[in-house]
């Protein structure tokens, strides 16, 4: 039997995790990558909605009572489809974008470490991912973390991404791992985690100012 087909987790590691890498998993991970963009889009659409709030009832009446198809599909003059398409576009992007890039991310994961079966071992200074061979990723290169329904995600420098399956723990728990990773993040990593939200905060403050005025 190929020794790489089944790797026994190192008993001296703090945490061990095992999963089978799939394109579906890679697609799910993309949701964590577009969170800031969706927040910014949501803020802008919320501002637009509040600015148009007084005319919404008349817009709805004009939309359903208009005899002209040209008027229905007009995007000017406060008539026709103005708010719902924007929300639909965001929902469509959030739904389809991860699926389209899932295959690409899958290949990137195989370039990082060949082999679909993954075994992760978390040590004091680095995490080791084992597929057909092993690769060590030091915590000093960790930029930020992310999370989806089934995955805990570690984003390292040079666009290296490591998945941790929530249901794949053999040693330790997700809660304990989060605390462990938090203690091992560098100051620059913590600052990056804050700075990446600044555009969304800026737009939020801008929207609040516009509404106040």
């Amino acid at each position: 039997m190929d020794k790489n087909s089944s790797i026994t987790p190192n008993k001296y590691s703090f945490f061990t995790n095992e999963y089978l890498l799939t394109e579906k998993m890679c697609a799910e991970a993309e949701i964590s990558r577009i969170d800031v963009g969706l927040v910014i889009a949501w803020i802008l659409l919320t501002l637009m909605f509040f600015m148009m709030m007084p005319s919404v009832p008349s817009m709805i009446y004009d939309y359903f009572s208009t005899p002209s198809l040209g008027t229905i599909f007009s995007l000017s003059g406060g008539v026709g489809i103005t708010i719902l398409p924007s929300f639909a576009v965001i929902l469509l992007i959030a739904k389809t974008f991860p699926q389209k890039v899932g295959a690409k991310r899958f290949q990137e994961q195989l370039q990082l470490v060949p082999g679909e079966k993954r075994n992760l071992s978390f040590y004091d200074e680095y995490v080791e991912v084992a597929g057909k061979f092993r690769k060590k990723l030091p915590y000093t290169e960790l930029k930020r973390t992310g999370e989806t329904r089934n995955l805990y995600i570690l984003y390292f420098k040079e666009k290296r991404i490591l998945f941790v399956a929530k249901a794949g723990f053999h040693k330790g728990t997700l809660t304990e791992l989060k605390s462990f990773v938090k203690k091992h993040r560098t100051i620059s990593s913590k600052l990056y985690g804050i700075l990446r939200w600044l555009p969304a905060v800026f737009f939020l403050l801008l929207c609040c100012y516009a509404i106040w005025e």
Side-chain angles (χ1 to χ4, degrees):
M1 183 177 66
D2 187 352
K3 64 179 181 180
N4 289 323
S5 63
S6 179
I7 302 176
T8 302
N10 192 317
K11 64 180 181 179
Y12 296 109
S13 60
F14 292 97
F15 305 90
T16 57
N17 187 273
E18 183 179 10
Y19 61 87
L20 186 67
L21 182 69
T22 63
E23 290 188 10
K24 183 178 180 180
M25 179 182 291
C26 295
E28 179 181 336
E30 286 301 308
I31 298 175
S32 177
R33 293 166 62 90
I34 60 178
D35 49 5
V36 176
L38 289 179
V39 169
I40 294 176
W42 176 80
I43 291 173
L44 292 176
L45 288 173
T46 301
L47 174 61
M48 182 183 71
F49 177 76
F50 277 108
M51 292 177 63
M52 301 175 64
M53 183 69 77
S55 60
V56 168
S58 61
M59 288 170 54
I60 295 176
Y61 175 79
D62 291 340
Y63 175 75
F64 286 104
S65 64
T66 178
S68 170
L69 289 177
T71 305
I72 291 178
F73 291 101
S74 172
L75 298 179
S76 62
V79 180
I81 307 174
T82 54
I83 297 179
L84 291 181
S86 300
F87 284 104
V89 168
I90 288 183
L91 292 176
L92 182 63
I93 292 175
K95 184 68 176 179
T96 61
F97 178 77
Q99 301 297 330
K100 290 185 177 297
V101 299
K104 179 181 178 181
R105 301 304 179 205
F106 179 75
Q107 294 301 321
E108 291 177 352
Q109 285 290 311
L110 293 180
Q111 290 178 7
L112 176 66
V113 175
E116 298 177 6
K117 186 174 183 179
R118 301 298 174 92
N119 292 268
L120 310 181
S121 298
F122 291 82
Y123 298 93
D124 190 50
E125 297 181 354
Y126 60 87
V127 53
E128 182 180 76
V129 52
K132 291 185 177 180
F133 64 77
R134 300 173 183 270
K135 187 176 185 64
K136 297 178 181 179
L137 299 175
Y139 302 121
T140 54
E141 297 182 2
L142 180 64
K143 295 179 64 177
R144 72 177 183 93
T145 62
E147 188 171 354
T148 65
R149 181 178 181 181
N150 301 302
L151 301 173
Y152 181 57
I153 310 169
L154 303 177
Y155 296 89
F156 292 85
K157 294 180 180 179
E158 300 178 359
K159 298 182 179 180
R160 293 171 297 174
I161 304 174
L162 190 62
F163 304 151
V164 181
K166 292 183 178 180
F169 282 92
H170 291 292
K171 185 177 181 180
T173 65
L174 177 62
T175 301
E176 293 171 339
L177 177 61
K178 287 182 178 180
S179 178
F180 177 84
V181 171
K182 184 177 181 180
K183 293 178 181 178
H184 285 74
R185 290 181 66 178
T186 63
I187 295 178
S188 61
S189 172
K190 294 178 181 178
L191 288 176
Y192 178 83
I194 296 174
L195 293 176
R196 65 185 297 269
W197 285 97
L198 285 183
V201 174
F202 173 77
F203 275 105
L204 176 61
L205 294 176
L206 182 64
C207 291
C208 291
Y209 174 78
I211 294 173
W212 177 264
E213 289 294 317

